[in-house]
Amino acid sequence: MDFSLTPEQEAFQTHVRAWLKANMPPEWTERLVASSDIPRPEAYDVLRRWQRQLYEAGFIGLTWPKEYGGRSLTFMEEMILHEEMALAKAPPILNVLGVGMAGPTIVAYGSEAQKKRYLARILSCEEIWCQGYSEPNAGSDLAALQTRAVKDGEHFVVNGQKVWTSLAHVADWMMLLARTDPAAPRHKGITYFLLDMHSPGVTVKPLRQITGDPEFNEVFFDNVRLHESQVLGGVNNGWQVGLTTLMYERLALGFGLQVRLRIALDGLIEMARRMEKHGRVTTKDPLMRQKIAQLWIDTECLKLTGARAITRLLRGEIPGPEASTGKMGWVDTHQRLQEIAMEIQGPYAQLPRGSDWAVEGGLWQYSFLRSRANSIEGGTTEVQKNIIGERILGLPKG
Amino acid sequence: MDFGFSQEQEMLRATARKFLENECPSSYVRDRMIEPAGTTDEFWAKLAEQGWLGLIYPEEYGGSGLGFVDLTVLMEEMGRVVMPGPFLSTVLLGGLAIFEAGSTEQKKEWLPKVAAGEARVALAWTEPNARWDAGGVTAAAKPADAGFVLSGTKLFVLDAHLADVLVVVARTTEGKQPEQGVSLFLVPKGAAGLEVKLLPTMDQTRKLCEVALHDVRVPSSALLGPKDGGWPPLGRVIERATVALCAEMCGGAQKVLDMTVEYAKIRIAFGKPIGAYQGVKHKAADMLVDVENAKSLTYYAAWAVDENGPEAALATSMAKAYASDAYRKVAAAGIQLHGGIGFTWEHDLHLYFKRAKSSELTFGDATHHRERVAQLINL
């Protein structure tokens, strides 16, 4: 066991730190303090530029192969980068689903032509990706999906609907799961496609959410034609390919989420130092100290549990039980953090953006409301617990 | 960075698990519960033979010179079997105090005996005020002749009744900062005026004593470390013992989870194994999250105290805060999921439940350590 860095890793850390210091967009620091997961719509343009800048500096896709725009480094460098970004309160990247999910899946299953076509553009944020998994009747029960793709010569014709699709309104490409063999058992007849969102027949309808913002979307497919070369990982093999994506989502993306959590926690502590409760600074209130300290412990814990999983990967082992707990742990900690951010504000917590009296411009009100989605998106907490119970602990299916 | 155990450490784990499953089954634990000794000479001699009593002491003092990460492996396995006996008190409190504060002569005199299983040492630190900080030390050590006279009452002292020598924490100087003016003394068993009483405890596998000091006279050579400078080494001892206790808690919690999962697979209710019901499955998943997180924090703390770096204090308090809550919750859930059988004396779960509670309360509970975290992050 050793948490110290090699001289090469230390040099990398110094490089990242110096670069961030010189290149961070300062006007955004303040506004993004409270933004701890999916970027806010009003930040898209700035975040697009920010990701491009990170890419040009060589800080996106560290673990991806060099020949496709990555750096062929290890998760260790990825961890160092994320930690430095947290300490610098760096903004998130915009193409979070492309970098976190689509890209790694294309690296794992893509043909040479697909890798060449897509990977570098994902990293540079030239093309933004969304994830076409969930449907009105197939959310956490993903295998129930109904969107059809019917073979027609060299093409597939897609009909159906997706929902809760983050970033679809700005996305250029979609990771699409569609049913290609309705006669096969639920998990067997699904294919993973790379779909051009600008194709004729694709309609995106933003869904206004609890936050008031249209960040999720409904996506409709009306006889959308896509070429068979857009199949990833083989026809009717989509379940397997999709699971790979989800594994990456939980590992790599989970690591990024821990970073956003740390940034939010630092912001919460700064706010608590400014706000008063019962006539004294909030951080001096014994109960609030307990709650904030527990948030600190849980946030550090997510980092450490993630590091245990990454150690296994670096050793060429399969991640153990610790890898499966990250999403749930993050959800619980983040939702609690947002509740405590409201508690710190007292009656001011009722005032969102638009009120002159709103604390920190009402930023926390947005992320507080947004955090309710955390325990639903990416597999509900209940489904996560079933997975842990059945796959990790070996308990029987219900 | 490498956040995992080495092959040697995994081998130590396998050896320890096999040894303890053979030598420390629940029948052994239950026999020790009802006896004051808490261990047998045979068992203690075997621990010495394994090299575990001196695991963390340098070779020059009869130990193996291994670190806290190695010890973590061992403590987890001891926690799995709720091992009774004075391991924590002798190796990690009394013995470590001699190692941290003692002169070369004192170390040479005592540590090889501890490692060989020939001497047991206890740390008489806490008092009826039940404080874990330096301000809680009120027992007095007054200069007299060529030595000191010790007076006061120590409470919650682990295994004092078994100790050949006690490390007594007493105040030599009043005033200023409470951390200043604390000194450590070696008081041998049977010293005139030393009275040790075994307390009845809820966790019968963990023996606690009341130690009364009725003007106990000790020579100046009994001073362990500098006069008035006992708190810094004592602080290091407590920190290390706390990490070791956290590891023991992780092992116990993991065992409860294992037992519960096995039971949930075979126990049929309403025509299905109870583990198929989400109410049971989800609770088991929560238990796993608690156990894994407690391990992450504990392993990190073990590494940090080995490194002796500035992060050790924070890492230790984070681990103790988390493990205290986690073990209590996991043990309680274990009883709940076992149903009625889990509430019986016959079933082993109560041994874990009680150990979880005594561990939670030892060296400060979660609330105590969260406050310490708050201080250490400058809240």
Side-chain angles (χ1 to χ4, degrees), chain A residues 1-5 9 76 79 269 273 283-284 288-290 292-294 296-298 300-301 304-305 307-308 310-311 314-315 321-322 324-325 328 382 385-386 388-390 392-398, chain B residues 1-6 9 69 257 261 264-265 272-273 275-276 278 281-282 284-286 288-289 292-293 295-297 299-300 303 314 317-318 321-322 325 366-368 370-371 373-375 377-379:
Chain A
M1 203 169 286
D2 187 3
F3 282 85
S4 47
L5 301 179
Q9 289 163 349
M76 194 54 225
M79 263 180 75
I269 291 172
R273 287 203 172 104
T283 48
K284 296 301 167 199
M288 295 311 293
R289 288 170 73 80
Q290 287 284 317
I292 295 170
Q294 188 63 49
W296 185 281
I297 294 168
D298 292 336
E300 287 294 295
C301 190
L304 292 169
T305 303
R308 281 171 66 205
I310 282 165
T311 291
L314 292 172
R315 287 179 177 185
E322 73 283 346
S324 59
T325 64
M328 267 172 61
E382 288 68 26
K385 288 185 182 181
N386 283 347
I388 290 175
E390 287 161 19
I392 311 284
L393 296 174
L395 291 170
K397 284 186 184 278
Chain B
M1 186 214 72
D2 180 31
F3 194 8
F5 292 101
S6 66
Q9 285 158 347
V69 177
L257 173 60
V261 167
K265 285 179 190 169
K272 280 197 276 193
Q278 288 198 342
K281 195 175 288 177
H282 289 187
D286 289 337
L288 175 114
V289 171
E292 291 300 328
N293 285 341
K295 284 182 185 175
S296 299
L297 289 162
Y299 298 164
Y300 178 66
W303 176 81
L314 180 57
S317 278
M318 290 197 303
Y322 199 99
D325 284 342
T367 306
H368 173 85
R370 275 192 293 266
E371 173 54 32
V373 166
Q375 288 167 18
I377 63 172
N378 298 314
L379 210 58

Side-chain angles (χ1 to χ4, degrees), chain A residues 48-253:
Chain A
R48 197 190 289 265
R49 286 199 295 278
W50 169 241
Q51 186 177 334
R52 172 94 203 177
Q53 214 181 336
L54 281 168
Y55 171 68
E56 281 165 1
F59 294 142
I60 300 267
L62 295 183
T63 61
W64 297 19
K66 247 185 197 157
E67 58 267 41
Y68 309 120
R71 300 268 311 265
S72 295
L73 294 171
T74 69
F75 271 110
M76 194 54 225
E77 282 80 11
E78 189 87 35
M79 263 180 75
I80 294 169
L81 176 81
H82 280 305
E83 180 134 41
E84 290 304 316
M85 286 182 69
L87 293 173
K89 301 195 194 334
I93 60 169
L94 179 59
N95 201 6
V96 58
L97 300 169
V99 174
M101 298 174 69
T105 312
I106 293 171
V107 170
Y109 285 96
S111 65
E112 187 59 25
Q114 286 172 331
K115 290 178 190 173
K116 282 218 169 86
R117 166 66 188 79
Y118 296 107
L119 292 176
R121 290 182 173 97
I122 289 173
L123 294 176
S124 64
C125 207
E126 193 179 325
E127 291 174 345
I128 292 174
W129 283 70
C130 63
Q131 178 202 34
Y133 282 21
S134 294
E135 297 185 7
N137 292 310
S140 287
D141 181 14
L142 190 54
L145 64 87
Q146 295 300 323
T147 293
R148 292 285 315 274
V150 179
K151 193 90 196 314
D152 178 21
E154 286 185 1
H155 288 81
F156 285 87
V157 180
V158 182
N159 280 288
Q161 186 200 342
K162 298 288 171 180
V163 74
W164 321 125
T165 315
S166 289
L167 296 173
H169 56 300
V170 285
D172 304 290
W173 290 88
M174 172 186 270
M175 300 165 253
L176 171 71
L177 284 179
R179 194 165 293 286
T180 35
D181 183 358
R186 283 175 14 126
H187 296 84
K188 303 278 185 192
I190 296 170
T191 299
Y192 195 110
F193 295 99
L194 310 176
L195 174 81
D196 183 348
M197 289 293 281
H198 308 294
S199 307
V202 176
T203 310
V204 177
K205 283 192 188 157
L207 274 172
R208 196 162 181 223
Q209 294 155 216
I210 190 171
T211 57
D213 277 348
E215 173 218 320
F216 298 159
N217 301 272
E218 291 178 292
V219 183
F220 298 91
F221 310 105
D222 182 16
N223 288 318
V224 177
R225 293 182 73 81
L226 54 79
H227 193 257
E228 59 187 6
S229 62
Q230 300 302 101
V231 169
L232 187 71
V235 174
N236 293 335
N237 192 34
W239 186 251
Q240 200 56 40
V241 180
L243 282 188
T244 309
T245 315
L246 288 174
M247 194 193 81
Y248 274 102
E249 181 186 29
R250 277 165 209 155
L251 259 178
L253 219 89

Side-chain angles (χ1 to χ4, degrees), chain B residues 92-375:
Chain B
L92 284 145
L93 290 170
L96 208 54
I98 294 174
F99 176 70
E100 286 286 341
S103 64
T104 308
E105 289 72 36
Q106 287 166 327
K107 289 190 233 185
K108 277 193 176 145
E109 184 186 353
W110 288 106
L111 296 181
K113 284 190 205 160
V114 169
E118 290 158 11
R120 290 163 200 168
V121 196
L123 178 70
W125 158 37
T126 44
E127 302 189 5
N129 59 40
R131 286 172 67 168
W132 304 100
D133 61 342
V137 179
T138 67
K142 299 234 159 66
D145 303 332
F148 296 87
V149 177
L150 309 179
S151 59
T153 303
K154 297 288 177 180
L155 204 59
F156 316 112
V157 182
L158 270 167
D159 304 318
H161 62 306
L162 304 175
D164 298 288
V165 65
L166 289 169
V167 173
V168 174
V169 184
R171 189 160 290 284
T172 30
T173 307
E174 290 289 344
K176 290 186 206 162
Q177 298 297 317
E179 288 79 12
Q180 296 164 350
V182 171
S183 306
L184 311 179
F185 298 91
L186 283 168
V187 179
K189 176 172 75 176
L194 178 70
E195 191 191 350
V196 177
K197 267 193 272 182
L198 191 62
L199 301 165
T201 46
M202 185 168 68
D203 173 6
Q204 293 171 285
T205 68
R206 184 159 272 156
K207 313 285 186 188
L208 296 178
C209 297
E210 173 189 341
V211 175
L213 302 154
H214 305 291
D215 294 333
V216 177
R217 287 182 172 272
V218 292
S220 2
S221 61
L223 196 58
L224 191 66
K227 180 173 171 289
D228 293 340
W231 188 258
L234 182 66
R236 286 195 294 277
V237 171
I238 297 162
E239 193 164 275
R240 280 156 176 71
T242 302
V243 175
L245 181 62
C246 287
E248 195 200 85
M249 296 165 85
C250 289
Q254 177 71 58
K255 177 68 181 178
V256 171
L257 173 60
D258 293 349
M259 287 160 69
T260 305
V261 167
E262 282 320 300
Y263 184 75
K265 285 179 190 169
I266 56 160
R267 167 73 182 170
I268 308 288
F270 306 106
K272 280 197 276 193
I274 59 169
Y277 295 103
Q278 288 198 342
V280 171
K281 195 175 288 177
H282 289 187
K283 214 165 185 130
D286 289 337
M287 290 165 81
L288 175 114
V289 171
D290 279 339
V291 173
E292 291 300 328
N293 285 341
K295 284 182 185 175
S296 299
L297 289 162
T298 298
Y299 298 164
Y300 178 66
W303 176 81
V305 297
D306 259 347
E307 289 292 298
N308 228 341
E311 67 271 60
L314 180 57
T316 302
S317 278
M318 290 197 303
K320 185 61 168 66
Y322 199 99
S324 293
D325 284 342
Y327 195 7
R328 182 192 62 242
K329 284 193 282 180
V330 166
I335 291 181
Q336 177 67 21
L337 296 185
H338 274 77
I341 187 73
F343 191 68
T344 63
W345 194 267
E346 176 196 349
H347 201 282
D348 286 340
L349 267 173
H350 71 96
L351 306 179
Y352 292 86
F353 183 78
K354 290 167 183 169
R355 181 63 78 86
K357 183 51 79 178
S358 71
S359 302
E360 176 193 349
L361 301 173
T362 299
F363 308 146
D365 60 13
T367 306
H368 173 85
H369 282 279
R370 275 192 293 266
E371 173 54 32
R372 237 180 128 232
V373 166
Q375 288 167 18

